[in-house]
Amino acid sequence: MKVAAYAKVNFTLEVLGVRPDGYHDLRSVVVPISLADEVTLAPADEVTLEVVGCGDRGATALPDIGVDDNLAMRAARLMQRVSGRKEGVAITLEKRIPVGGGLGGGSADAAAVLNGLNEMWGLGIPKPELAILGAEIGSDVPALVLGGPVLMEGRGERVTECLVPGAVVHGAELKRKDGHVSNAPSTKHQAPSTFHLVLANPGAFCSTAEIFKAFAPHLPNRPEILYNIRLAMQAGDDAAVALALQNDLEATAVRLHPEIGVARRRLEEAGCLGVSMSGSGATVFGIVRGASEAECVARKLSEDGLWAAAVETVR
Ligand code: C5P
């Protein structure tokens, strides 16, 4: 069985405070994108893992993954435990998502194994339950198990669909970060929209733990951040999405790895509507108006020596 393990970007990532267990309380809109690892699952006696076909920057970062620590193997063992099954699974990962890039690559693989084994072994575990189980593997796993644009809260373990199916946005007010108010366009068709993005990674490896450790959260509650991004996504308005992007960890990541700021400026100079960082970095992304513009910007950045990819959001 082959399963696509979609990477994600965070359209918003707010850090609300530190919890007694040392983790941070988050509120984030997590959106899967078309960049994906390919996960193949085959019946086997033991749980095994083979990593193949590492093409670009993902390949250079791969030796950093200890195979025993690999989140895909942990996901398979978790499924053995909850199902009580003794059989194993041969996992083959074709890596395309850069590791340590804030794109949730390892978590995507784990989510694909959870969803894949649930189907292959006929377990019938409902997705919201599978998502909760996934939280013990990593904070991004529940969101990627659920799939589609997700509102992620708590440490990452509380996930809900981000957009209200069938909702109609009618000329609602969009409160911008600079205090201005603009009108979101009226729209009646409410299938989730596709947004076109360019990813850029300067080659820095950001450890999530390192970024959170250096982050000092003293930010006020800003309910408009979630309100604005939801409204913009619901309206399918890429310029409004671009305005509503927010990542509280970005300033810390740029301070520790200034090359992230350079990659960000490259995307801005290339004409992206808005730019932000994904997760704890180091990948930054820009919103553009369509697939051909995304290809064009990605090509330009690649020529400048950055790892870059044109992608689109996945429902
Ligand atoms: O859960 P995950 O393995 O992705 O987290 C890696 C590290 O990032 C944690 O050990 C913790 O230091 C930090 N973290 C945090 N708050 C979160 C998620 C991660 O402090 N909500």
Side-chain angles (χ1 to χ4, degrees):
M1 165 190 279
K2 285 195 190 302
V3 192
Y6 293 109
K8 58 84 185 171
V9 294
N10 302 77
F11 273 2
T12 63
L13 196 163
E14 300 171 73
V15 184
L16 304 179
V18 190
R19 300 152 40 121
D21 62 6
Y23 275 82
H24 291 75
D25 262 323
L26 307 177
R27 184 162 58 206
S28 178
V29 171
V30 181
V31 185
I33 53 173
S34 51
L35 176 68
D37 292 342
E38 188 177 86
V39 179
T40 308
L41 305 175
D45 294 337
E46 308 276 321
V47 175
T48 60
L49 175 73
E50 190 189 357
V51 184
V52 295
C54 332
D56 42 37
R57 206 195 93 76
T60 57
L62 270 175
D64 292 328
I65 322 175
V67 165
D68 281 340
D69 277 348
N70 187 284
L71 303 189
M73 291 191 82
R74 285 175 51 197
R77 296 210 181 95
L78 174 67
M79 290 305 266
Q80 280 180 318
R81 206 175 72 226
V82 298
S83 67
R85 290 173 84 115
K86 298 272 180 291
E87 69 202 89
V89 59
I91 307 167
T92 309
L93 285 187
E94 192 162 335
K95 289 296 295 178
R96 297 190 194 110
I97 309 170
V99 176
L103 298 172
S107 302
D109 299 338
V113 170
L114 294 178
N115 280 325
L117 286 183
N118 192 31
E119 197 183 320
M120 196 163 109
W121 290 347
L123 303 177
I125 304 172
K127 273 210 180 190
E129 258 175 58
L130 204 55
I132 292 169
L133 287 170
E136 78 172 67
I137 301 173
S139 305
D140 284 329
V141 178
L144 292 165
V145 166
L146 206 59
V150 161
L151 173 63
M152 178 181 106
E153 294 174 286
R155 197 201 103 187
E157 77 283 10
R158 287 206 313 275
V159 288
T160 45
E161 275 178 47
C162 176
L163 303 179
V164 186
V168 177
V169 180
H170 260 306
E173 283 186 343
L174 196 61
K175 294 183 206 102
R176 287 172 30 174
K177 275 182 246 166
D178 60 10
H180 289 94
V181 171
S182 58
N183 284 333
S186 299
T187 173
K188 292 197 182 64
H189 58 87
Q190 281 308 320
S193 302
T194 300
F195 299 99
H196 296 273
L197 276 58
V198 180
L199 309 177
N201 188 306
F205 181 94
C206 277
S207 138
T208 305
E210 172 207 22
I211 302 295
F212 272 109
K213 205 164 155 223
F215 177 79
H218 288 295
L219 297 164
N221 189 18
R222 295 148 297 158
E224 71 278 9
I225 290 175
L226 180 59
Y227 177 85
N228 283 344
I229 195 72
R230 268 190 160 144
L231 192 58
M233 290 172 74
Q234 201 98 40
D237 183 339
D238 38 21
V241 166
L243 267 178
L245 299 174
Q246 170 70 29
N247 186 332
D248 289 352
L249 297 175
E250 187 173 331
T252 304
V254 170
R255 182 161 53 78
L256 297 182
H257 302 278
E259 58 274 38
I260 297 172
V262 175
R264 187 196 160 89
R265 275 195 296 284
R266 290 275 181 284
L267 285 166
E268 284 167 348
E269 285 159 10
C272 293
L273 298 167
V275 180
S276 191
M277 188 179 81
S278 187
S280 56
T283 307
V284 283
F285 64 95
I287 307 272
V288 292
R289 286 214 189 272
S292 59
E293 193 180 337
E295 292 290 349
C296 186
V297 173
R299 209 172 314 118
K300 189 170 180 311
L301 267 64
S302 300
E303 283 163 13
D304 289 351
L306 286 170
W307 178 91
V311 299
E312 59 184 37
T313 56
V314 175
R315 290 150 200 199

